Amino acid sequence: MWKHISVSRIFDSLAMVLSGPPALAFAPAISLAAYWIGGERALVVVALTLPLVFAAVSTAHKASNREKDGNGLLPLDRFAAQMETLFAENQRTGHEASCMIVELDGFSECLDLHGNAAGNVMADQFRSRVLSVIRSHDIATGLDQGKIAIGLHAAQNLDLEACIQMSGRIQAAVDEPIMLNGTSVYMSCSIGFCLQSTLPDITFAEWIDAANAALAEAQRNGPATIRAFSSETQRRARVRANLRNEFIAALDSGEIRPWFQPQISTDTGHVTGFEALARWEHPQKGVLGPPVFLPFAEQADLMERLGQVMRHHAFAAMRQWNRAGVVVPRIGVNFSSEELRDPALIDRLKWELDQNDLTPDRLTVEILETVFSRRPDDVITRNVISMSKLGCCIDLDDFGTGHASIASIKRFDVSRIKIDRSFVAKADRDASQQQLVSAILTMAERLNVETLAEGVETQGEHALMAQLGCDHVQGFEIGKPMPFEKTLDWMAAHQNKLNGMPKIGRQARP
């Protein structure tokens, strides 16, 4: 992609010299040489033509910097050639330059929510706003619909502070709201950049890779963030690369497996199921949670593989609970968007259940609310409805954090709503929280949908959920996620505790 283009480099080097301030230094020498060789007539000719030559080259150079693709961005190959020229020239002169990458935050989610037409409007506005901020002799190209690479040409005052200031001006321009489908939508962007002096002895391809690494670090620290590439960025990138490779190996070695968190009935206190939560039992780093390794799985397109591993271990746990004679009605397994887009998912799921002698009603399919709130996807819709018809329980996870409509709850035949922990936390002490939970429970009752409160961490929250009519609870107050080996002991201890305690659910009310 970043192939060397010698002709372009020669042209760009010549154009860069003749179109900039250094060219003025040659004008007196050229005029004097013309007078010495040809006399006054030659001097007049040179004096008249030299400005025209400089103007023509400058115009051609600026035009090449904006070879129009309809939006003022260079084609990628032309951008690469000019950046290689800039890189080589600065290595010779010792001047400073910078490679900067700007990406819209949450652009893919916007496409899902608003559609491609609105996404095109956002991308056009994004491009025009970025180009309005950078200098006329800087160059830019589109890496993706919502992602732009910028080459900041050499300047006397181009340093870390200047790049941060430029990044701030870009963000301020991008932040202005735009109208989409009659509503104001606010955009933001993350920026990563790498000064050439930070990595003076590398190729251009490594230069832009460094800017990408800085961008990735910015995005990990939240939206609208700016990061410069440094040796520490490089070290962290190597650590993440090593972890990514270890993750791939861990899927095959069995280091990644589910830990199980119990769910109980608020009426009876009995276990109504377990949720299988992915954990990486790293031999050196200890137990790692999903926030550490899920980004690796998504980047490496391993979400389907992770889902298959999780179901394998979860179904094996169900078999062992059955053999031990304990009652676990259901096991909850999370399904990612990537898995739900697989046309062969239903056939594979039937085979996995059959291999483990399990009926579909023993499986709870947990799907994030954001999957339901996105633009309709025929494959996802068909798979979810097919799993429901198969007999699986469909759980709408983290309810209240997205924008799932009542129509989508009915369309996907949702069996149970899982109320997000942000609504449950301190609900026994916060009247507004309690009102929100009550509203969700009332809606669920009208829709004839079961409810489960997540993140129940205190007895007060547990008691309140039961009194308000929530069907099931899950959280640290009930039990923390645990490896399979500890589940049998936990269930035995829970049953012993249950036998000696009064019921706190709706059956206990007068």
Side-chain angles (χ1 to χ4, degrees):
M1 180 169 65
W2 308 111
K3 189 176 180 180
H4 176 71
I5 305 174
S6 58
V7 176
S8 296
R9 287 188 61 176
I10 293 171
F11 171 77
D12 290 332
S13 297
L14 179 63
M16 195 179 300
V17 171
L18 294 181
S19 62
L24 298 177
F26 293 98
I30 295 172
S31 300
L32 183 60
Y35 179 74
W36 182 265
I37 295 171
E40 292 181 359
R41 181 175 296 179
L43 177 61
V44 171
V45 171
V46 168
L48 292 174
T49 58
L50 195 58
L52 297 176
V53 171
F54 286 163
V57 172
S58 177
T59 301
H61 182 54
K62 290 180 179 179
S64 71
N65 282 356
R66 293 289 188 269
E67 286 182 350
K68 300 294 184 180
D69 61 355
N71 52 37
L73 297 176
L74 282 172
L76 188 58
D77 57 346
R78 187 69 177 165
F79 177 84
Q82 292 198 27
M83 286 294 283
E84 285 198 8
T85 301
L86 176 64
F87 186 80
E89 178 68 17
N90 289 343
Q91 282 183 318
R92 185 180 62 80
T93 62
H95 290 161
E96 183 69 282
S98 179
C99 182
M100 180 179 289
I101 300 182
V102 187
E103 185 168 17
L104 274 176
D105 297 318
F107 183 67
S108 60
E109 287 78 5
C110 176
L111 285 177
D112 287 333
L113 287 172
H114 299 287
N116 288 329
N120 291 337
V121 173
M122 281 189 70
D124 289 342
Q125 288 286 326
F126 169 61
R127 284 191 292 263
S128 64
R129 292 178 184 185
V130 171
L131 291 175
S132 71
V133 174
I134 65 175
R135 301 167 301 179
S136 60
H137 59 285
D138 293 328
I139 57 175
T141 188
L143 299 180
D144 207 341
Q145 197 175 13
K147 189 174 184 180
I148 291 176
I150 301 168
L152 299 181
H153 276 242
Q156 277 189 335
N157 61 345
L158 186 63
D159 55 12
L160 180 64
E161 184 178 353
C163 286
I164 293 173
Q165 290 176 351
M166 171 71 78
S167 299
R169 289 196 294 272
I170 291 173
Q171 287 186 330
V174 171
D175 282 349
E176 292 296 319
I178 62 172
M179 294 299 293
L180 288 181
N181 301 325
T183 60
S184 294
V185 174
Y186 289 84
M187 299 190 296
S188 66
C189 62
S190 295
I191 301 175
F193 65 87
C194 178
L195 287 162
Q196 184 173 345
S197 59
T198 307
L199 297 169
D201 299 320
I202 61 170
T203 65
F204 165 69
E206 293 170 310
W207 192 15
I208 202 166
D209 285 345
N212 256 320
L215 173 66
E217 185 159 299
Q219 291 170 328
R220 276 188 293 273
N221 285 274
T225 304
I226 302 168
R227 285 292 182 273
F229 183 83
S230 65
S231 57
E232 184 62 20
T233 306
Q234 198 169 28
R235 185 193 67 79
R236 286 193 291 265
R238 281 197 297 265
V239 170
R240 285 190 294 273
N242 291 336
L243 270 176
R244 186 182 298 111
N245 294 333
E246 290 179 29
F247 171 78
I248 295 172
L251 282 173
D252 296 324
S253 66
E255 291 178 9
I256 295 176
R257 60 172 183 151
W259 281 30
F260 301 93
Q261 187 170 32
Q263 302 163 341
I264 67 172
S265 166
T266 55
D267 277 344
T268 66
H270 293 150
V271 173
T272 57
F274 279 88
E275 181 179 3
L277 301 165
R279 294 292 184 270
W280 181 358
E281 298 174 359
H282 196 283
Q284 283 82 42
K285 298 179 175 64
V287 178
L288 306 178
V292 175
F293 58 81
L294 279 187
F296 305 149
E298 292 170 351
Q299 292 167 12
D301 294 326
L302 289 170
M303 290 301 291
E304 288 188 56
R305 171 72 176 134
L306 175 61
Q308 291 172 12
V309 168
M310 290 293 291
R311 290 196 300 276
H312 169 76
H313 289 295
F315 292 163
M318 289 291 278
R319 283 203 323 270
Q320 291 178 274
W321 286 327
N322 289 343
R323 290 171 188 160
V326 297
V327 178
V328 179
R330 291 172 178 166
I331 186 77
V333 180
N334 291 275
F335 281 70
S336 66
S337 298
E338 290 79 3
E339 290 179 276
L340 294 172
R341 289 193 182 99
D342 180 8
L345 174 63
I346 301 302
D347 289 336
R348 182 181 299 114
L349 187 59
K350 288 179 180 177
W351 183 85
E352 291 171 349
L353 289 167
D354 185 61
Q355 288 293 106
N356 290 278
D357 295 322
L358 297 174
T359 55
D361 61 296
R362 304 289 299 281
L363 171 64
T364 296
V365 178
E366 304 218 7
I367 303 173
L368 288 173
E369 185 183 7
T370 50
V371 174
F372 286 168
S373 63
R374 289 174 178 169
R375 188 162 40 92
D377 185 305
D378 289 341
V379 178
I380 289 179
T381 301
R382 187 164 56 249
N383 278 337
V384 175
I385 292 175
S386 296
M387 286 189 285
S388 178
K389 289 181 178 178
L390 192 64
C392 301
C393 174
I394 307 297
D395 270 14
L396 181 55
D397 204 2
D398 293 346
F399 183 79
T401 60
H403 302 87
S405 65
I406 294 175
S408 65
I409 292 174
K410 301 303 291 184
R411 178 162 59 96
F412 287 100
D413 199 14
V414 171
S415 312
R416 184 168 63 181
I417 290 172
K418 298 186 72 174
I419 304 171
D420 187 70
R421 68 185 64 189
S422 61
F423 296 100
V424 176
K426 301 180 182 179
D428 57 324
R429 289 175 285 163
D430 187 327
S432 61
Q433 289 283 83
Q434 185 173 331
Q435 289 173 350
L436 287 172
V437 174
S438 296
I440 294 172
L441 293 172
T442 300
M443 180 201 70
E445 184 177 6
R446 298 291 176 86
L447 294 173
N448 196 28
V449 174
E450 288 192 352
T451 51
L452 182 148
E454 296 184 285
V456 174
E457 297 189 353
T458 67
Q459 291 183 358
E461 292 169 359
H462 185 178
L464 178 65
M465 293 303 113
Q467 291 166 5
L468 292 177
C470 188
D471 301 300
H472 310 267
V473 287
Q474 172 184 349
F476 283 9
E477 198 275 329
I478 313 302
K480 295 182 180 181
M482 64 194 83
F484 172 80
E485 294 77 17
K486 295 185 178 180
T487 57
L488 291 173
D489 289 340
W490 181 90
M491 282 189 279
H494 176 73
Q495 188 59 46
N496 290 335
K497 183 173 65 173
L498 194 63
N499 292 336
M501 291 181 63
K503 296 179 181 178
I504 63 172
R506 281 165 282 172
Q507 294 179 353
R509 291 181 289 174

